[in-house]
Amino acid sequence: MALLPVAEALKHILEAANTLETEDVGLRDALGRTLARAVEARVDNPPFDASAMDGYSVRAEDVAQVPVTLKLVGEAGAGQPFSGKVAKGETVRIFTGAALPDGADAVVIQEKVTADGTTITFRERADRDDNVRPKGQDFTKGCSLLEKGRRLTARDILLAAAAGHGTLPVVRKPIVALLSTGDELVEPGTPLARGQIWASNSFGLAAVVEAAGGEARLLGIARDSLESLSQALDSADGADVLVTIGGASVGDHDLVRPALEKSGAKLDFYKIAMRPGKPLFFGARSIGGTRQHCLGLPGNPVASLICSRVFLVPLIARLLGRDVPLEAIDAVLGDQLPVNGPREHYMRARLDLSTSPPRAMPFKNQDSGLITALQRADCLVVVPVDAPAQPAGTAVKVLKLDI
């Protein structure tokens, strides 16, 4: 079976996914969630003409010529408006944020007056709307504030609250079940026997899932037997995506695909033209009438995390109804690259953003066993299939690791 190009594999995955259902959440739970519908303002902001300063509200025509003396007839504070109307020759003491009294159309700051009981002498003239924030200056009722598909930030939540929303409609978080497989694996923090390694992948991938907006569910470790794998696969009920880690190749102990197919999964593809990450598959199965996406990642930690950035993160984005965050950026090589082979190579690198265009420095050693190199990297240089040797300064595409 020919190796599937990365772009074709990603196309298969995205075409199979649809946006999940909507739920309402309170503002305190909205950070990082994805808007299911556009959000409109429920009120004007400010909802009334408001004073922008501490001072005295006046009719601008009364202070067109200064100095002039007006009679103090009351006070307006934030949340405590003046109940009367400012008539000719009158003024009302006002504080920042207070509603402008009826009849007034300007505010003179307190430093520009002299107060003597109820006699206020103005030393500076004012024009209409001076030191006034007019009703609807920021936004008006019914206007669109936040677009559908937006990932909510602290600033968005502030705006939504100011617009009168106590809850927001968001897309339900995709539940991503993560299953590690392999006789050699033990949980991190437990003693290692000879031949064993710690199961690190599921913890790194859980962080990827949650950074992308999903909810990670760790299913533990399945052993290299159909019985153990079948039991573990049964525990993935309710997940939107099942991610298996390891056992995706064709060795005697690589039983994940047979176990999945036995559970009813139909695989769209396996093996892709990608380095690292050749043993990767994708498909789906039905659990209780609900479609569950099945993504098989390599067991190698570096390959697993890189493949999650290329395939799992876009899948989560599609389930959330977001733009797929896979777009590579333009950069130039900071060092030469050798001839590439028949698989698209995702090379760990550091990106220097101080230059224009940015400069990508691929690591000399791209051994997929080097987890420390992955930790030091902040991007992946995408080298096309069968690319010739490339000198420093060559234009390349770069995929940022952090999302």
Side-chain angles (χ1 to χ4, degrees):
M1 181 178 180
L3 298 181
L4 189 68
V6 171
E8 286 297 312
L10 182 60
K11 182 180 178 183
H12 275 284
I13 291 173
L14 296 181
E15 287 180 346
N18 295 307
T19 303
L20 298 178
E21 61 271 21
T22 299
E23 62 184 8
D24 289 330
V25 299
L27 297 181
R28 289 285 288 114
D29 298 315
L31 182 64
R33 301 298 297 271
T34 303
L35 272 180
R37 298 188 299 273
V39 170
E40 296 181 349
R42 290 180 171 173
V43 294
D44 295 331
N45 189 47
F48 44 77
D49 291 341
S51 177
M53 305 289 286
D54 291 343
Y56 292 83
S57 55
V58 297
R59 303 187 328 151
E61 62 187 88
D62 286 346
V63 292
Q65 301 291 329
V66 292
V68 65
T69 298
L70 303 180
K71 180 183 178 182
L72 182 65
V73 295
E75 182 176 289
Q80 298 177 325
F82 178 66
S83 59
K85 182 176 182 179
V86 176
K88 181 177 180 180
E90 295 179 341
T91 184
V92 169
R93 180 79 163 105
I94 196 166
F95 297 92
T96 304
L100 198 68
D102 290 342
D105 55 18
V107 172
V108 177
I109 62 175
Q110 60 190 13
E111 291 84 358
K112 302 300 182 180
V113 308
T114 301
D116 183 9
T118 60
T119 301
I120 312 299
T121 301
F122 291 79
R123 304 188 305 274
E124 184 174 281
R125 66 183 302 277
D127 293 321
R128 184 182 180 88
D129 295 330
D130 277 359
N131 298 312
V132 174
R133 296 190 179 109
K135 177 182 178 180
Q137 178 188 43
D138 192 6
F139 53 78
T140 57
K141 181 179 180 179
C143 74
S144 182
L145 297 176
L146 300 170
E147 68 274 14
K148 176 182 176 180
R150 183 175 181 85
R151 191 172 187 177
L152 292 165
T153 66
R155 300 181 302 281
D156 297 329
I157 294 169
L158 172 67
L159 179 59
H165 293 272
T167 63
L168 290 172
V170 298
V171 180
R172 177 177 64 80
K173 286 185 178 183
I175 299 172
V176 181
L178 302 166
L179 176 62
S180 298
T181 69
D183 288 340
E184 75 280 14
L185 299 178
V186 295
E187 294 290 348
T190 59
L192 285 178
R194 182 176 174 80
Q196 293 181 328
I197 59 173
W198 285 304
S200 59
N201 286 356
S202 57
F203 294 93
L205 291 174
V208 169
V209 167
E210 289 169 359
E215 178 183 324
R217 181 192 299 172
L218 271 62
L219 302 183
I221 301 169
R223 300 307 169 190
D224 291 325
S225 72
L226 284 175
E227 180 181 6
S228 178
L229 284 164
S230 295
Q231 290 177 351
L233 292 175
D234 288 342
S235 68
D237 188 18
D240 301 291
V241 183
L242 168 64
V243 176
T244 59
I245 309 162
S249 192
V250 292
D252 292 342
H253 298 284
D254 294 318
L255 302 174
V256 173
R257 284 193 294 118
L260 268 171
E261 289 170 340
K262 184 180 177 182
S263 76
K266 297 186 183 304
L267 301 184
D268 293 340
F269 65 82
Y270 64 93
K271 293 187 180 180
I272 57 173
M274 179 177 177
R275 176 184 173 201
K278 175 183 173 183
L280 181 144
F281 64 78
F282 179 77
R285 61 178 182 163
S286 178
I287 300 181
T290 301
R291 179 184 178 89
Q292 183 181 78
H293 303 285
C294 302
L295 178 64
L297 297 180
N300 175 281
V302 171
S304 178
L305 203 77
I306 289 176
C307 287
S308 76
R309 176 63 183 90
V310 177
F311 299 106
L312 180 57
V313 169
L315 173 57
I316 292 171
R318 179 58 55 88
L319 292 172
L320 287 168
R322 294 179 188 162
D323 291 335
V324 176
L326 189 66
E327 295 78 8
I329 65 172
D330 294 320
V332 296
L333 287 174
D335 201 355
Q336 62 183 359
L337 292 182
V339 173
N340 191 33
R343 290 186 285 160
E344 194 168 64
H345 195 178
Y346 286 74
M347 303 185 74
R348 286 154 285 172
R350 293 286 298 179
L351 192 62
D352 181 2
L353 296 174
S354 67
T355 65
S356 183
R359 183 175 58 186
M361 183 66 70
F363 296 161
K364 294 290 187 183
N365 191 342
Q366 292 290 325
D367 189 320
S368 61
L370 301 179
I371 301 175
T372 52
L374 179 63
Q375 186 276 327
R376 293 199 310 273
D378 58 12
C379 70
L380 301 168
V381 174
V382 183
V383 185
V385 171
D386 296 327
Q390 301 177 71
T394 301
V396 290
K397 293 292 186 179
V398 167
L399 186 64
K400 289 185 178 180
L401 277 169
D402 293 328
I403 53 176

